[in-house]
Amino acid sequence: LCFFLAFGAFVLSWTGLTITREPPDLEVKPRPPLRTYFARLPALLRRDANFRAFLIARPITALGTMAVTFYIVYAASHFGLSGAAVGGLTATSALSQGLMYLIWGLIADRHGHKLVLCLGAAAMALAALSVLVLGALWGVYVAFALMGAGLAAEMISATSILLEFAPPAERPTYIGLSNTLVAPFRILAPIIGGALASILGFQPLFAVAAAVSLAGVALMSLGVREPRVVASE
């Protein structure tokens, strides 16, 4: 019944999307042949050093999510979760996301999307540290709240910042290139997490995940300039 209701909700959502009409682009480039399109990508990366630094930082923050799917496995194995507790953890993450959408949006408007992505990755690191250090069920609730904050930051700013990196006519290319280069690391993250959990256990997994997320924060904060500042120069 739960899965059927979720299916119905998705169908309603898709129905709403199908009747939504996008505003027309004010600037549209001529469509090049596919071979020419791919041949231009290396030149784009060489030309835009700031975007290149962003593409180095983003995969690291994606790898930092390696522990996310294992929080509930850890909690189930250590604290014997009931169905109600699983629902409570999920609700905690959803409530945190809903609240943080508003907060991250305000921060992004005032200070830029780069800061939101840094804070979101830091929240992911703190989520792993919460499970690692607190060692109690309420620590898992804290982790789920922080995870919700990190996911909300991703939803608010991961694509929005690309619109500020790219000229209007190049936006589809920037978005596609970023998502394509990050995707393999998103696929690898849970695989690496599962291997670490199987070989070393949950505690080392959470420590590694926190360290990788913090490395992503450092790369993003130190290596990437806020694109709004660059555009105003």
Side-chain angles (χ1 to χ4, degrees):
L1 177 61
C2 177
F3 295 151
F4 179 76
L5 292 173
F7 167 77
F10 275 119
V11 169
L12 289 174
S13 174
W14 290 334
T15 302
L17 288 175
T18 59
I19 61 176
T20 301
R21 295 293 177 263
E22 294 184 85
D25 290 327
L26 299 178
E27 183 181 349
V28 180
K29 291 178 61 178
R31 181 181 298 177
L34 189 61
R35 184 175 180 179
T36 303
Y37 173 80
F38 283 113
R40 291 176 180 174
L41 297 181
L44 183 151
L45 292 176
R46 287 193 297 269
R47 182 174 69 248
D48 195 336
N50 198 36
F51 182 57
R52 191 168 64 243
F54 177 79
L55 291 181
I56 293 171
R58 284 284 290 144
I60 304 303
T61 59
L63 280 178
T65 65
M66 67 177 69
V68 165
T69 54
F70 297 96
Y71 295 150
I72 203 160
V73 179
Y74 169 82
S77 62
H78 284 71
F79 308 115
L81 292 182
S82 64
V86 172
L89 289 170
T90 306
T92 299
S93 177
L95 179 63
S96 173
Q97 277 187 263
L99 176 63
M100 292 307 296
Y101 282 138
L102 298 173
I103 296 174
W104 292 142
L106 180 63
I107 293 174
D109 283 342
R110 296 187 176 184
H111 304 288
H113 292 286
K114 173 193 163 182
L115 177 60
V116 172
L117 289 174
C118 289
L119 293 175
M124 285 296 191
L126 290 174
L129 290 175
S130 296
V131 182
L132 179 66
V133 173
L134 298 178
L137 181 57
W138 68 272
V140 182
Y141 276 90
V142 172
F144 267 71
L146 290 166
M147 182 180 70
L151 294 174
E154 179 83 7
M155 292 293 292
I156 287 288
S157 293
T159 299
S160 298
I161 194 173
L162 296 173
L163 305 181
E164 298 180 347
F165 272 112
E170 296 280 3
R171 284 172 179 172
T173 300
Y174 274 67
I175 293 171
L177 186 59
S178 175
N179 290 339
T180 299
L181 292 179
V182 172
F185 295 89
R186 292 200 180 284
I187 296 169
L188 285 173
I191 297 173
I192 294 172
L196 288 173
S198 298
I199 297 170
L200 301 176
F202 287 111
Q203 304 293 338
L205 164 62
F206 299 149
V208 171
V212 173
S213 288
L214 291 175
V217 173
L219 287 172
M220 184 75 71
S221 60
L222 299 176
V224 179
R225 298 179 64 198
E226 171 57 48
R228 295 180 191 178
V229 174
V230 176
S232 65
E233 291 177 350

